[in-house]
Amino acid sequence: MELLDIAEVADRSGLAPSALRFYERRGLIQSTGRNGLRRTFQPDIFDRLTLIDCARGAGFTLAQIQRFLTATPDDTELRAHLAVKATQLDHDIARLTRMRDSLRHAATCTHQPLVECPQFKTTLTDSDDPRPAPAPTSMDAGTGSAPDRQPARGTGPVSSGAEHFG
């Protein structure tokens, strides 16, 4: 199996090499060694980076992702927190779906102003449960530790908050 140089992983993933080194320091990814001074990775690194990116997009902090990556089936506390997070994501998806549908309508609507269109308003607020997503739970509470830091795509680390599971 051919190893990938950090520059190639950075290029193909869209992440800066500094972000990859940061992820490695946080225990989210693992290099297989070095080729001279450059880190090398297995080709399956992209699967892990995809998981990290998806989890970040869903609102997980790096600390939560790291905890999830090391979890075992016996980690019942983590599983309970994951179930709560899944419910929160269901609420977010429903809200975003309503917004998407409203915007699609607004793109073809002739009502002036667009946001006052009755169909736009109905689509935006139409829901079996009109309440907003539940308030953050203990899963989202900070631990008092240093802020969790996340590299943005193509840049170095940026602040994201200190939320942890459990």
Side-chain angles (χ1 to χ4, degrees):
M1 185 177 297
E2 185 176 328
L3 297 178
L4 303 171
D5 179 272
I6 191 170
E8 184 176 354
V9 174
D11 184 53
R12 288 176 51 188
S13 70
L15 292 168
S18 61
L20 296 169
R21 290 188 295 270
F22 180 76
Y23 281 174
E24 185 177 20
R25 282 192 310 274
R26 290 297 303 262
L28 299 171
I29 62 174
Q30 187 173 19
S31 64
T32 56
R34 294 185 183 268
N35 182 8
L37 295 175
R38 301 178 107 173
R39 287 172 171 82
T40 57
F41 297 90
Q42 295 286 339
D44 64 357
I45 188 69
F46 297 109
D47 295 335
R48 177 64 64 101
L49 292 173
T50 298
L51 172 61
I52 293 167
D53 185 57
C54 183
R56 286 183 61 211
F60 286 85
T61 65
L62 292 181
Q64 290 171 329
I65 296 167
Q66 195 278 334
R67 175 104 191 273
F68 175 65
L69 293 173
T70 60
T72 65
D74 296 331
D75 194 342
T76 56
E77 183 180 350
L78 176 67
R79 286 173 167 234
H81 291 305
L82 293 175
V84 168
K85 184 66 172 178
T87 299
Q88 290 172 342
L89 289 173
D90 286 340
H91 288 281
D92 289 345
I93 290 166
R95 178 181 47 83
L96 291 169
T97 299
R98 290 191 310 273
M99 186 67 202
R100 181 207 57 209
D101 293 348
S102 294
L103 294 174
R104 283 186 176 152
H105 172 74
T108 61
C109 182
T110 58
H111 197 279
Q112 290 190 15
L114 293 174
V115 295
E116 294 301 321
C117 172
Q119 186 174 344
F120 176 86
K121 287 181 172 183
T122 301
T123 303
L124 189 60
T125 59
D126 188 23
S127 170
D128 293 336
D129 184 5
R131 296 174 296 158
T137 65
S138 62
M139 175 179 102
D140 298 315
T143 62
S145 61
D148 192 9
R149 312 233 338 133
Q150 298 181 23
R153 282 197 147 318
T155 65
V158 294
S159 178
S160 72
E163 295 136 358
H164 297 275
F165 287 115

mmCIF file of all heavy atoms in Angstrom, residues 6-7 9-11 13-26 28-29 38-39 41 49 62 149-158:
data_model
loop_
_atom_site.group_PDB
_atom_site.id
_atom_site.type_symbol
_atom_site.label_atom_id
_atom_site.label_comp_id
_atom_site.label_asym_id
_atom_site.label_seq_id
_atom_site.Cartn_x
_atom_site.Cartn_y
_atom_site.Cartn_z
ATOM 1 N N ILE A 6 2.063 14.288 3.513
ATOM 2 C CA ILE A 6 1.161 15.269 4.101
ATOM 3 C C ILE A 6 0.711 16.323 3.090
ATOM 4 O O ILE A 6 -0.433 16.765 3.109
ATOM 5 C CB ILE A 6 1.772 15.925 5.365
ATOM 6 C CG1 ILE A 6 0.697 16.740 6.112
ATOM 7 C CG2 ILE A 6 2.997 16.753 5.010
ATOM 8 C CD1 ILE A 6 1.121 17.214 7.483
ATOM 9 N N ALA A 7 1.609 16.700 2.174
ATOM 10 C CA ALA A 7 1.236 17.701 1.163
ATOM 11 C C ALA A 7 0.143 17.158 0.244
ATOM 12 O O ALA A 7 -0.792 17.884 -0.123
ATOM 13 C CB ALA A 7 2.458 18.118 0.354
ATOM 14 N N VAL A 9 -2.072 14.772 1.056
ATOM 15 C CA VAL A 9 -3.294 14.688 1.848
ATOM 16 C C VAL A 9 -3.919 16.077 1.981
ATOM 17 O O VAL A 9 -5.130 16.243 1.829
ATOM 18 C CB VAL A 9 -3.017 14.072 3.240
ATOM 19 C CG1 VAL A 9 -4.264 14.126 4.115
ATOM 20 C CG2 VAL A 9 -2.526 12.634 3.091
ATOM 21 N N ALA A 10 -3.097 17.072 2.231
ATOM 22 C CA ALA A 10 -3.596 18.441 2.351
ATOM 23 C C ALA A 10 -4.247 18.885 1.038
ATOM 24 O O ALA A 10 -5.352 19.439 1.039
ATOM 25 C CB ALA A 10 -2.465 19.380 2.740
ATOM 26 N N ASP A 11 -3.579 18.626 -0.063
ATOM 27 C CA ASP A 11 -4.097 19.041 -1.365
ATOM 28 C C ASP A 11 -5.425 18.352 -1.674
ATOM 29 O O ASP A 11 -6.395 18.998 -2.074
ATOM 30 C CB ASP A 11 -3.062 18.738 -2.450
ATOM 31 C CG ASP A 11 -3.500 19.241 -3.809
ATOM 32 O OD1 ASP A 11 -3.830 20.444 -3.910
ATOM 33 O OD2 ASP A 11 -3.501 18.433 -4.760
ATOM 34 N N SER A 13 -7.525 16.861 0.415
ATOM 35 C CA SER A 13 -8.575 17.056 1.413
ATOM 36 C C SER A 13 -9.037 18.506 1.512
ATOM 37 O O SER A 13 -10.106 18.777 2.061
ATOM 38 C CB SER A 13 -8.094 16.603 2.793
ATOM 39 O OG SER A 13 -7.100 17.484 3.292
ATOM 40 N N GLY A 14 -8.223 19.434 1.011
ATOM 41 C CA GLY A 14 -8.552 20.849 1.149
ATOM 42 C C GLY A 14 -8.170 21.428 2.497
ATOM 43 O O GLY A 14 -8.489 22.573 2.798
ATOM 44 N N LEU A 15 -7.495 20.646 3.315
ATOM 45 C CA LEU A 15 -7.042 21.122 4.624
ATOM 46 C C LEU A 15 -5.587 21.547 4.537
ATOM 47 O O LEU A 15 -4.805 20.957 3.791
ATOM 48 C CB LEU A 15 -7.162 20.012 5.672
ATOM 49 C CG LEU A 15 -8.575 19.591 6.044
ATOM 50 C CD1 LEU A 15 -8.556 18.308 6.861
ATOM 51 C CD2 LEU A 15 -9.267 20.691 6.821
ATOM 52 N N ALA A 16 -5.233 22.538 5.300
ATOM 53 C CA ALA A 16 -3.839 22.969 5.361
ATOM 54 C C ALA A 16 -3.023 21.915 6.103
ATOM 55 O O ALA A 16 -3.540 21.224 6.986
ATOM 56 C CB ALA A 16 -3.733 24.306 6.091
ATOM 57 N N PRO A 17 -1.741 21.766 5.765
ATOM 58 C CA PRO A 17 -0.890 20.834 6.518
ATOM 59 C C PRO A 17 -0.915 21.120 8.023
ATOM 60 O O PRO A 17 -0.898 20.183 8.828
ATOM 61 C CB PRO A 17 0.502 21.045 5.922
ATOM 62 C CG PRO A 17 0.227 21.515 4.528
ATOM 63 C CD PRO A 17 -1.021 22.357 4.633
ATOM 64 N N SER A 18 -1.005 22.391 8.395
ATOM 65 C CA SER A 18 -1.062 22.730 9.825
ATOM 66 C C SER A 18 -2.323 22.162 10.471
ATOM 67 O O SER A 18 -2.309 21.754 11.638
ATOM 68 C CB SER A 18 -0.994 24.245 10.033
ATOM 69 O OG SER A 18 -2.092 24.881 9.409
ATOM 70 N N ALA A 19 -3.424 22.114 9.731
ATOM 71 C CA ALA A 19 -4.663 21.528 10.252
ATOM 72 C C ALA A 19 -4.483 20.029 10.462
ATOM 73 O O ALA A 19 -4.928 19.481 11.474
ATOM 74 C CB ALA A 19 -5.822 21.802 9.302
ATOM 75 N N LEU A 20 -3.828 19.368 9.521
ATOM 76 C CA LEU A 20 -3.586 17.929 9.664
ATOM 77 C C LEU A 20 -2.691 17.652 10.872
ATOM 78 O O LEU A 20 -2.941 16.714 11.636
ATOM 79 C CB LEU A 20 -2.964 17.364 8.385
ATOM 80 C CG LEU A 20 -3.867 17.440 7.148
ATOM 81 C CD1 LEU A 20 -3.078 17.112 5.896
ATOM 82 C CD2 LEU A 20 -5.067 16.524 7.305
ATOM 83 N N ARG A 21 -1.656 18.462 11.054
ATOM 84 C CA ARG A 21 -0.782 18.281 12.224
ATOM 85 C C ARG A 21 -1.569 18.531 13.509
ATOM 86 O O ARG A 21 -1.394 17.821 14.504
ATOM 87 C CB ARG A 21 0.427 19.199 12.131
ATOM 88 C CG ARG A 21 1.408 18.789 11.022
ATOM 89 C CD ARG A 21 2.697 19.600 11.064
ATOM 90 N NE ARG A 21 2.491 21.010 10.786
ATOM 91 C CZ ARG A 21 2.532 21.559 9.579
ATOM 92 N NH1 ARG A 21 2.769 20.814 8.502
ATOM 93 N NH2 ARG A 21 2.338 22.854 9.425
ATOM 94 N N PHE A 22 -2.453 19.529 13.478
ATOM 95 C CA PHE A 22 -3.286 19.814 14.644
ATOM 96 C C PHE A 22 -4.200 18.638 14.949
ATOM 97 O O PHE A 22 -4.322 18.213 16.098
ATOM 98 C CB PHE A 22 -4.098 21.085 14.396
ATOM 99 C CG PHE A 22 -4.988 21.453 15.544
ATOM 100 C CD1 PHE A 22 -4.468 22.023 16.693
ATOM 101 C CD2 PHE A 22 -6.351 21.232 15.465
ATOM 102 C CE1 PHE A 22 -5.287 22.361 17.761
ATOM 103 C CE2 PHE A 22 -7.177 21.571 16.521
ATOM 104 C CZ PHE A 22 -6.660 22.134 17.671
ATOM 105 N N TYR A 23 -4.863 18.093 13.948
ATOM 106 C CA TYR A 23 -5.717 16.919 14.139
ATOM 107 C C TYR A 23 -4.912 15.762 14.723
ATOM 108 O O TYR A 23 -5.402 15.019 15.568
ATOM 109 C CB TYR A 23 -6.346 16.488 12.814
ATOM 110 C CG TYR A 23 -7.544 17.292 12.369
ATOM 111 C CD1 TYR A 23 -8.104 17.046 11.122
ATOM 112 C CD2 TYR A 23 -8.136 18.274 13.151
ATOM 113 C CE1 TYR A 23 -9.210 17.752 10.683
ATOM 114 C CE2 TYR A 23 -9.242 18.986 12.718
ATOM 115 C CZ TYR A 23 -9.775 18.717 11.486
ATOM 116 O OH TYR A 23 -10.876 19.406 11.054
ATOM 117 N N GLU A 24 -3.694 15.599 14.252
ATOM 118 C CA GLU A 24 -2.856 14.512 14.766
ATOM 119 C C GLU A 24 -2.528 14.752 16.244
ATOM 120 O O GLU A 24 -2.610 13.825 17.053
ATOM 121 C CB GLU A 24 -1.580 14.384 13.944
ATOM 122 C CG GLU A 24 -0.740 13.188 14.366
ATOM 123 C CD GLU A 24 0.483 12.994 13.521
ATOM 124 O OE1 GLU A 24 0.927 13.944 12.854
ATOM 125 O OE2 GLU A 24 1.031 11.867 13.541
ATOM 126 N N ARG A 25 -2.177 15.975 16.604
ATOM 127 C CA ARG A 25 -1.892 16.289 18.016
ATOM 128 C C ARG A 25 -3.109 16.040 18.893
ATOM 129 O O ARG A 25 -2.972 15.643 20.049
ATOM 130 C CB ARG A 25 -1.437 17.740 18.173
ATOM 131 C CG ARG A 25 -0.010 17.995 17.780
ATOM 132 C CD ARG A 25 0.488 19.364 18.225
ATOM 133 N NE ARG A 25 -0.378 20.484 17.865
ATOM 134 C CZ ARG A 25 -0.344 21.137 16.701
ATOM 135 N NH1 ARG A 25 0.526 20.789 15.766
ATOM 136 N NH2 ARG A 25 -1.167 22.144 16.472
ATOM 137 N N ARG A 26 -4.304 16.279 18.380
ATOM 138 C CA ARG A 26 -5.538 16.073 19.135
ATOM 139 C C ARG A 26 -5.979 14.610 19.161
ATOM 140 O O ARG A 26 -6.957 14.265 19.819
ATOM 141 C CB ARG A 26 -6.673 16.913 18.532
ATOM 142 C CG ARG A 26 -6.545 18.407 18.717
ATOM 143 C CD ARG A 26 -6.588 18.838 20.181
ATOM 144 N NE ARG A 26 -7.783 18.414 20.873
ATOM 145 C CZ ARG A 26 -8.844 19.162 21.078
ATOM 146 N NH1 ARG A 26 -8.857 20.410 20.666
ATOM 147 N NH2 ARG A 26 -9.893 18.678 21.703
ATOM 148 N N LEU A 28 -7.106 12.848 16.560
ATOM 149 C CA LEU A 28 -8.193 12.571 15.623
ATOM 150 C C LEU A 28 -7.723 11.746 14.425
ATOM 151 O O LEU A 28 -8.508 10.993 13.850
ATOM 152 C CB LEU A 28 -8.810 13.879 15.137
ATOM 153 C CG LEU A 28 -9.435 14.753 16.223
ATOM 154 C CD1 LEU A 28 -9.807 16.118 15.661
ATOM 155 C CD2 LEU A 28 -10.655 14.077 16.815
ATOM 156 N N ILE A 29 -6.485 11.930 14.036
ATOM 157 C CA ILE A 29 -5.895 11.163 12.940
ATOM 158 C C ILE A 29 -4.520 10.700 13.391
ATOM 159 O O ILE A 29 -3.976 11.193 14.389
ATOM 160 C CB ILE A 29 -5.787 11.980 11.627
ATOM 161 C CG1 ILE A 29 -4.869 13.193 11.800
ATOM 162 C CG2 ILE A 29 -7.173 12.383 11.122
ATOM 163 C CD1 ILE A 29 -4.591 13.960 10.506
ATOM 164 N N ARG A 38 8.680 14.939 6.476
ATOM 165 C CA ARG A 38 7.250 15.041 6.193
ATOM 166 C C ARG A 38 6.485 13.826 6.696
ATOM 167 O O ARG A 38 6.900 12.689 6.493
ATOM 168 C CB ARG A 38 7.040 15.193 4.688
ATOM 169 C CG ARG A 38 7.747 16.429 4.151
ATOM 170 C CD ARG A 38 7.557 16.527 2.690
ATOM 171 N NE ARG A 38 6.621 17.618 2.463
ATOM 172 C CZ ARG A 38 6.329 18.068 1.275
ATOM 173 N NH1 ARG A 38 6.826 17.513 0.191
ATOM 174 N NH2 ARG A 38 5.502 19.077 1.139
ATOM 175 N N ARG A 39 5.345 14.092 7.322
ATOM 176 C CA ARG A 39 4.475 13.014 7.799
ATOM 177 C C ARG A 39 3.903 12.254 6.608
ATOM 178 O O ARG A 39 3.645 12.836 5.559
ATOM 179 C CB ARG A 39 3.327 13.592 8.624
ATOM 180 C CG ARG A 39 3.741 14.096 9.982
ATOM 181 C CD ARG A 39 2.561 14.833 10.627
ATOM 182 N NE ARG A 39 2.805 15.169 11.998
ATOM 183 C CZ ARG A 39 3.488 16.235 12.405
ATOM 184 N NH1 ARG A 39 4.000 17.071 11.528
ATOM 185 N NH2 ARG A 39 3.659 16.467 13.687
ATOM 186 N N PHE A 41 0.764 9.244 5.561
ATOM 187 C CA PHE A 41 -0.526 8.724 5.996
ATOM 188 C C PHE A 41 -0.951 7.571 5.098
ATOM 189 O O PHE A 41 -0.606 7.525 3.920
ATOM 190 C CB PHE A 41 -1.598 9.817 5.924
ATOM 191 C CG PHE A 41 -1.343 10.977 6.841
ATOM 192 C CD1 PHE A 41 -0.610 12.075 6.414
ATOM 193 C CD2 PHE A 41 -1.843 10.968 8.127
ATOM 194 C CE1 PHE A 41 -0.380 13.149 7.249
ATOM 195 C CE2 PHE A 41 -1.614 12.041 8.978
ATOM 196 C CZ PHE A 41 -0.883 13.127 8.549
ATOM 197 N N LEU A 49 -11.023 11.813 7.706
ATOM 198 C CA LEU A 49 -11.211 13.251 7.512
ATOM 199 C C LEU A 49 -12.642 13.583 7.098
ATOM 200 O O LEU A 49 -13.191 14.607 7.505
ATOM 201 C CB LEU A 49 -10.208 13.794 6.497
ATOM 202 C CG LEU A 49 -8.742 13.775 6.963
ATOM 203 C CD1 LEU A 49 -7.820 14.163 5.811
ATOM 204 C CD2 LEU A 49 -8.535 14.673 8.172
ATOM 205 N N LEU A 62 -14.304 19.258 18.378
ATOM 206 C CA LEU A 62 -13.223 18.288 18.203
ATOM 207 C C LEU A 62 -13.115 17.363 19.408
ATOM 208 O O LEU A 62 -12.832 16.172 19.249
ATOM 209 C CB LEU A 62 -11.895 18.997 17.940
ATOM 210 C CG LEU A 62 -11.806 19.729 16.604
ATOM 211 C CD1 LEU A 62 -10.431 20.371 16.450
ATOM 212 C CD2 LEU A 62 -12.094 18.808 15.438
ATOM 213 N N ARG A 149 -10.235 23.710 19.987
ATOM 214 C CA ARG A 149 -9.797 24.460 18.818
ATOM 215 C C ARG A 149 -9.944 23.580 17.596
ATOM 216 O O ARG A 149 -9.626 22.421 17.628
ATOM 217 C CB ARG A 149 -8.350 24.897 18.994
ATOM 218 C CG ARG A 149 -8.140 25.530 20.346
ATOM 219 C CD ARG A 149 -7.527 26.856 20.454
ATOM 220 N NE ARG A 149 -6.736 27.316 19.400
ATOM 221 C CZ ARG A 149 -6.866 28.536 18.893
ATOM 222 N NH1 ARG A 149 -7.777 29.332 19.350
ATOM 223 N NH2 ARG A 149 -6.080 28.951 17.946
ATOM 224 N N GLN A 150 -10.426 24.184 16.502
ATOM 225 C CA GLN A 150 -10.638 23.454 15.261
ATOM 226 C C GLN A 150 -9.999 24.194 14.109
ATOM 227 O O GLN A 150 -10.191 25.389 13.967
ATOM 228 C CB GLN A 150 -12.130 23.348 14.937
ATOM 229 C CG GLN A 150 -12.937 22.599 15.940
ATOM 230 C CD GLN A 150 -14.378 22.541 15.500
ATOM 231 O OE1 GLN A 150 -14.692 22.671 14.336
ATOM 232 N NE2 GLN A 150 -15.269 22.336 16.445
ATOM 233 N N PRO A 151 -9.275 23.500 13.258
ATOM 234 C CA PRO A 151 -8.779 24.169 12.065
ATOM 235 C C PRO A 151 -9.907 24.322 11.056
ATOM 236 O O PRO A 151 -10.672 23.407 10.842
ATOM 237 C CB PRO A 151 -7.695 23.232 11.538
ATOM 238 C CG PRO A 151 -7.888 21.945 12.235
ATOM 239 C CD PRO A 151 -8.773 22.168 13.423
ATOM 240 N N ALA A 152 -10.014 25.492 10.500
ATOM 241 C CA ALA A 152 -10.968 25.709 9.417
ATOM 242 C C ALA A 152 -10.364 25.159 8.136
ATOM 243 O O ALA A 152 -9.155 25.004 8.026
ATOM 244 C CB ALA A 152 -11.261 27.198 9.273
ATOM 245 N N ARG A 153 -11.195 24.853 7.186
ATOM 246 C CA ARG A 153 -10.688 24.307 5.925
ATOM 247 C C ARG A 153 -9.672 25.252 5.326
ATOM 248 O O ARG A 153 -9.930 26.421 5.112
ATOM 249 C CB ARG A 153 -11.836 24.100 4.955
ATOM 250 C CG ARG A 153 -12.629 22.842 5.259
ATOM 251 C CD ARG A 153 -13.434 22.510 4.041
ATOM 252 N NE ARG A 153 -13.705 21.178 3.687
ATOM 253 C CZ ARG A 153 -12.921 20.124 3.709
ATOM 254 N NH1 ARG A 153 -11.721 20.201 4.143
ATOM 255 N NH2 ARG A 153 -13.313 18.952 3.296
ATOM 256 N N GLY A 154 -8.478 24.734 5.076
ATOM 257 C CA GLY A 154 -7.443 25.496 4.396
ATOM 258 C C GLY A 154 -6.730 26.501 5.277
ATOM 259 O O GLY A 154 -5.967 27.303 4.774
ATOM 260 N N THR A 155 -6.994 26.475 6.589
ATOM 261 C CA THR A 155 -6.340 27.427 7.471
ATOM 262 C C THR A 155 -5.825 26.711 8.698
ATOM 263 O O THR A 155 -6.024 25.521 8.875
ATOM 264 C CB THR A 155 -7.320 28.529 7.927
ATOM 265 O OG1 THR A 155 -8.333 27.918 8.729
ATOM 266 C CG2 THR A 155 -7.927 29.261 6.758
ATOM 267 N N GLY A 156 -5.254 27.468 9.598
ATOM 268 C CA GLY A 156 -4.789 26.918 10.867
ATOM 269 C C GLY A 156 -5.950 26.822 11.842
ATOM 270 O O GLY A 156 -7.099 27.069 11.508
ATOM 271 N N PRO A 157 -5.665 26.477 13.097
ATOM 272 C CA PRO A 157 -6.707 26.292 14.101
ATOM 273 C C PRO A 157 -7.469 27.583 14.401
ATOM 274 O O PRO A 157 -6.917 28.669 14.373
ATOM 275 C CB PRO A 157 -5.915 25.853 15.336
ATOM 276 C CG PRO A 157 -4.619 25.348 14.821
ATOM 277 C CD PRO A 157 -4.344 26.133 13.570
ATOM 278 N N VAL A 158 -8.769 27.409 14.693
ATOM 279 C CA VAL A 158 -9.614 28.515 15.124
ATOM 280 C C VAL A 158 -10.425 28.051 16.321
ATOM 281 O O VAL A 158 -10.656 26.875 16.498
ATOM 282 C CB VAL A 158 -10.566 29.006 14.006
ATOM 283 C CG1 VAL A 158 -9.792 29.614 12.874
ATOM 284 C CG2 VAL A 158 -11.455 27.898 13.511
#
